[in-house]
Amino acid sequence: MAGTAVRPRMSIMASGRHIYVQFIDDDRGVTLASVSTLGGDGKHNVAAAKTIGRKAAETALAKGIKEVVIDR
């Protein structure tokens, strides 16, 4: 599953304390945008997941990303 500039790979990683989301163009080897729960209260729960999902969507749309390939 490789991402492109038109349809980047959306990588989601959840550790015990934080959630990280990146939008990656594998053709060029660059991260187009990223968000995480770093700097928050460190709670990894449903509320944090909803917040990071909303932030990821807003960030992607601001960068013109409308379709992704999911990589979890």
Side-chain angles (χ1 to χ4, degrees), residues 28-52:
R28 294 186 302 153
V30 296
T31 298
L32 303 173
S34 65
V35 294
S36 73
T37 56
L38 288 173
D41 60 11
K43 293 184 180 176
H44 183 174
N45 55 26
V46 174
K50 286 181 181 180
T51 299
I52 200 67

Side-chain angles (χ1 to χ4, degrees), residues 10 23 35 51-63 65:
M10 180 179 173
F23 299 94
V35 294
T51 299
I52 200 67
R54 194 173 306 112
K55 284 183 182 179
E58 290 169 357
T59 301
L61 289 173
K63 295 279 186 171
I65 300 169

